[in-house]
Amino acid sequence: MSTDLATLRGLAHLARLEFDENKEQQMLGDLNKILDWVDQLRQLDTTDVEPLVHLSQEINVLRPDEPQNTVSHQAGLLNAPRKDSDYFRVPKVLD
């Protein structure tokens, strides 16, 4: 399977890419190599191969989430640039 220059230019237009003459020929060669490799993969017999869901059999061992207050309310307001008693003061967003 090989691609011609017109197809490459069409793909480049769709992808909003621009190539000069030198890079265009290099990209055409690279694209044809990729398509040849994909064609080789298509020829493989995969009838007895099960679909791969995960790349490894490793299982993440995560600690359980335990909700806790790491910063007290007063400590959180301590460095606030503007505050109003127990709340942060922020600029108005909606009119």
Side-chain angles (χ1 to χ4, degrees), residues 44-62:
L44 291 175
D45 180 25
T46 59
T47 53
D48 295 331
V49 178
E50 293 184 24
L52 183 65
V53 178
H54 299 286
L55 293 179
S56 74
Q57 302 299 324
E58 300 291 325
I59 298 174
N60 284 339
V61 179
L62 303 174

Side-chain angles (χ1 to χ4, degrees), residues 1 3 18 28 58 60 65 91 93:
M1 176 180 248
T3 305
E18 294 180 13
L28 183 62
E58 300 291 325
N60 284 339
D65 282 339
V93 178

Side-chain angles (χ1 to χ4, degrees), residues 55-80:
L55 293 179
S56 74
Q57 302 299 324
E58 300 291 325
I59 298 174
N60 284 339
V61 179
L62 303 174
R63 64 173 171 76
D65 282 339
E66 297 173 3
Q68 58 185 351
N69 289 330
T70 55
V71 178
S72 70
H73 187 75
Q74 292 303 322
L77 286 172
L78 191 62
N79 291 325

Side-chain angles (χ1 to χ4, degrees), residues 6-60:
T7 305
L8 177 70
R9 288 178 179 158
L11 289 172
H13 174 73
L14 290 174
R16 306 295 189 257
L17 298 173
E18 294 180 13
F19 302 117
D20 59 9
E21 297 292 326
N22 223 5
K23 290 290 182 181
E24 198 173 51
Q25 290 298 326
Q26 180 183 357
M27 186 60 70
L28 183 62
D30 290 345
L31 182 60
N32 282 327
K33 286 179 188 176
I34 292 170
L35 292 176
D36 289 341
W37 183 72
V38 170
D39 194 39
Q40 287 178 9
L41 288 177
R42 264 194 216 135
Q43 295 172 8
L44 291 175
D45 180 25
T46 59
T47 53
D48 295 331
V49 178
E50 293 184 24
L52 183 65
V53 178
H54 299 286
L55 293 179
S56 74
Q57 302 299 324
E58 300 291 325
I59 298 174
N60 284 339

